[in-house]
Amino acid sequence: MEYKIKSRIWIEVDGEILLGEGRVSLLKAIEKTGSLSKASKSLGMSYKKAWSLIDAVNSRAKSPVCNTTIGGTKGGGTQITAYGKSLIEAYERINKNCWEFLDKQISEADLK
Amino acid sequence: MEYKIKSRIWIEVDGEILLGEGRVSLLKAIEKTGSLSKASKSLGMSYKKAWSLIDAVNSRAKSPVCNTTIGGTKGGGTQITAYGKSLIEAYERINKNCWEFLDKQISEADLK
DNA sequence: TACCGTTATACCTCAGTAAATATAACGACT
DNA sequence: AGTCGTTATATTTACTGAGGTATAACGGTA
């Protein structure tokens, strides 16, 4: 069996995690569903965990990543801001580049 | 505060972890001390955990990463093989390259 | 043969994290 | 006013992973 190289990347602010793989997939689920509770259900994650993740992201990002509304006909909801979308896009682009870079590195290392 | 990008890389074999940051630092401590028990103490890690990590590495690597002896005047010991040293070296080189690559990527992304 | 420091392994305990549950507030609509 | 689905939060429960302790085996040396 061949050696494979894997990686996880994340963005930190002031020594604390801003954005990692889990948070990005949560943000994308929110973008798709328009709701934090629906997003957490779709990922098999508890609402509480999802809420605390989003809270952490919002409190550390330089600009808000999402806007929430409470009450109303549909009960409320959560929308990802344009800034949030730009963060998601940057994370995924860098992540993909990192994988490609590492695949090249491991093949050049030629470990037997 | 500025956004910083972090990463962890690891090598997998057959879907299971062969080598990550913790295992590499353990192997280096063994190399320095010549003993698994001394290495675990120097890292503040329990012997049991250190042993299970080394056991996992040895069972998955294509060649043995260390040789152990039991008994004798000094009680025994563990030596890192030449193959093990080459794995450590490859991991650290790729890891360093990855950090440099990511630092470049995040500065190019220019996130506000 | 007794001693010593090491490898190797089983078992039990405990804490820190994750999950489940409960509850309040909100606001558009009927 | 009552309903509904959502956000927001506290409290309690469950569980996994890590650590501690104990013990056997090993083989040079005195």
Side-chain angles (χ1 to χ4, degrees):
Chain A
M1 191 65 183
E2 213 48 43
Y3 289 156
K4 287 181 183 170
I5 194 155
K6 304 275 179 167
S7 67
R8 300 205 74 164
I9 66 169
W10 64 95
I11 297 171
E12 285 189 4
V13 178
D14 210 8
E16 294 190 308
I17 294 178
L18 168 69
L19 211 59
E21 243 173 57
R23 299 179 189 202
V24 165
S25 55
L26 178 58
L27 288 176
K28 288 172 76 179
I30 293 171
E31 196 177 2
K32 195 176 294 177
T33 60
S35 146
L36 183 51
S37 68
K38 281 184 191 134
S40 65
K41 277 197 189 74
S42 77
L43 295 177
M45 180 187 293
S46 71
Y47 174 83
K48 199 186 69 165
K49 179 170 184 182
W51 181 86
S52 60
L53 285 177
I54 293 301
D55 185 55
V57 174
N58 267 327
S59 68
R60 288 165 196 166
K62 293 180 184 175
S63 303
V65 166
C66 59
N67 292 317
T68 68
T69 56
I70 305 178
T73 309
K74 295 181 179 177
T78 302
Q79 273 73 41
I80 305 298
T81 62
Y83 181 69
K85 289 177 188 176
S86 73
L87 281 187
I88 295 172
E89 205 240 319
Y91 179 93
E92 297 206 307
R93 188 180 62 247
I94 294 175
N95 201 25
K96 184 169 168 289
N97 291 344
C98 184
W99 288 345
E100 289 170 2
F101 177 79
L102 288 174
D103 284 343
K104 201 176 165 195
Q105 289 276 307
I106 192 88
S107 71
E108 282 173 3
D110 193 32
L111 298 174
K112 297 283 188 291
Chain B
M1 191 65 182
E2 213 50 42
Y3 289 156
K4 286 182 184 170
I5 194 155
K6 304 275 179 166
S7 68
R8 301 205 71 161
I9 68 169
W10 63 95
I11 297 171
E12 285 189 4
V13 178
D14 211 7
E16 294 190 307
I17 295 177
L18 167 68
L19 211 59
E21 243 173 58
R23 298 179 190 202
V24 165
S25 55
L26 177 58
L27 288 176
K28 287 173 75 180
I30 292 171
E31 197 178 0
K32 194 175 297 178
T33 60
S35 147
L36 183 50
S37 68
K38 282 183 193 139
S40 66
K41 277 197 190 75
S42 78
L43 295 176
M45 179 187 294
S46 71
Y47 175 84
K48 198 185 68 168
K49 180 169 185 183
W51 181 85
S52 62
L53 285 176
I54 293 301
D55 185 54
V57 174
N58 267 327
S59 68
R60 286 165 198 166
K62 294 178 182 173
S63 303
V65 166
C66 60
N67 293 317
T68 68
T69 56
I70 306 178
T73 308
K74 296 181 178 178
T78 302
Q79 273 74 40
I80 304 298
T81 63
Y83 182 68
K85 290 177 187 177
S86 74
L87 282 187
I88 295 172
E89 205 241 318
Y91 178 92
E92 297 206 308
R93 188 179 62 246
I94 294 175
N95 202 24
K96 182 168 169 290
N97 290 344
C98 184
W99 288 346
E100 290 170 2
F101 177 79
L102 288 174
D103 283 343
K104 202 175 163 195
Q105 289 276 307
I106 194 86
S107 70
E108 282 173 2
D110 194 32
L111 298 172
K112 299 284 189 294

